[in-house]
Amino acid sequence: MWDREIRAMASTHAIIASSVFMATVLPAVFVPGFSVYGAHLSWIYSVSGAVIAVSVAVFWLLGISTPTKKHSLGYKLSRLSRSCLYFFLSCLFFHTVVVLYGAPLIDSAVETFSLAFLLTSLTTLRCLCILGPNVQSWIRVFSRHGAMSVWDTCLQITVACTVVGAWVGAFPIPLDWDRPWQVWPISCSLGAMIGFLTGLVAAPVWIHYHRKQLTYKCK
């Protein structure tokens, strides 16, 4: 059971990481002037869109999300609308947090919201895919000893790596190095993406080597 869960996780993460790579390389090949630095906002929405599309498709195909007893069309539409609402509220939440940490309030509002959109795509979207639009489950997973499956542990690791990566990425911005990647919010978004990719690799590896210590039941 453990090996099957870990293999499914590693395969899922490999597909998502590949989508990030393709969303970075393909536009650079076919779209004139596209680059991570030169067209950074375009890159943010390119990789965010790829992660959203691939994550939703893969998690749906694997049946990772929490099963529901209701299958009516109205319930599914309600669940979809709540997921979209939570996604938008998460963008506003990250935008507010980034501003409180010192980002420009008005001058670079588009750039700040783009970073918030990227963070939401890398963190909140995974919560929606794995746990559904259930805030109580989110609180449970991110509380101490709240994980109840390997996917909950995976969620903890990837979200933590993404947020820490974005935070660490802010450190070089005030330094007087005059580098193109110091322009807001390039270093933060790159840090978030590096943290996210690190989490995709670290989660199945950590779970594999600590599987004997993990006592919760798999889904």
Side-chain angles (χ1 to χ4, degrees):
M1 182 66 177
W2 284 107
D3 290 338
R4 186 170 71 249
E5 291 276 351
I6 294 172
R7 282 198 300 268
M9 182 184 300
S11 300
T12 300
H13 288 183
I15 294 172
I16 295 173
S18 299
S19 72
V20 173
F21 176 76
M22 298 300 288
T24 302
V25 173
L26 289 181
V29 174
F30 295 105
V31 179
F34 182 92
S35 68
V36 175
Y37 294 158
H40 189 66
L41 296 188
S42 299
W43 175 80
I44 285 180
Y45 288 105
S46 176
V47 295
S48 296
V51 169
I52 291 171
V54 173
S55 297
V56 171
V58 171
F59 282 115
W60 178 76
L61 290 173
L62 291 178
I64 301 300
S65 60
T66 305
T68 58
K69 297 181 179 179
K70 298 181 181 179
H71 300 284
S72 65
L73 178 61
Y75 179 78
K76 291 180 179 179
L77 291 176
S78 174
R79 186 180 174 90
L80 176 61
S81 62
R82 284 188 292 128
S83 297
C84 293
L85 175 62
Y86 289 176
F87 188 94
F88 176 71
L89 291 177
S90 176
C91 290
L92 296 181
F93 170 77
F94 278 119
H95 185 98
T96 302
V97 170
V98 172
V99 168
L100 291 177
Y101 268 87
L105 177 61
I106 298 176
D107 293 342
S108 302
V110 175
E111 288 80 0
T112 303
F113 185 82
S114 299
L115 174 62
F117 186 86
L118 176 66
L119 290 172
T120 297
S121 303
L122 303 181
T123 58
T124 304
L125 179 74
R126 292 181 66 84
C127 295
L128 292 170
C129 290
I130 296 174
L131 303 174
N134 188 332
V135 177
Q136 291 182 344
S137 296
W138 297 11
I139 296 173
R140 170 186 60 78
V141 167
F142 292 103
S143 62
R144 188 176 183 182
H145 306 304
M148 297 177 62
S149 73
V150 292
W151 287 101
D152 289 353
T153 302
C154 167
L155 193 60
Q156 294 173 337
I157 295 172
T158 53
V159 169
C161 287
T162 303
V163 173
V164 170
W167 177 67
V168 172
F171 279 72
I173 293 179
L175 301 178
D176 189 20
W177 291 348
D178 249 358
R179 297 287 186 257
W181 49 266
Q182 288 181 278
V183 176
W184 175 254
I186 294 178
S187 61
C188 287
S189 55
L190 290 179
M193 183 55 68
I194 293 172
F196 176 70
L197 295 175
T198 301
L200 294 183
V201 175
V205 172
W206 189 92
I207 292 172
H208 174 75
Y209 284 104
H210 292 81
R211 62 189 185 280
K212 293 182 179 179
Q213 287 77 36
L214 299 176
T215 57
Y216 48 67
K217 293 182 179 180
C218 295
K219 291 183 181 177

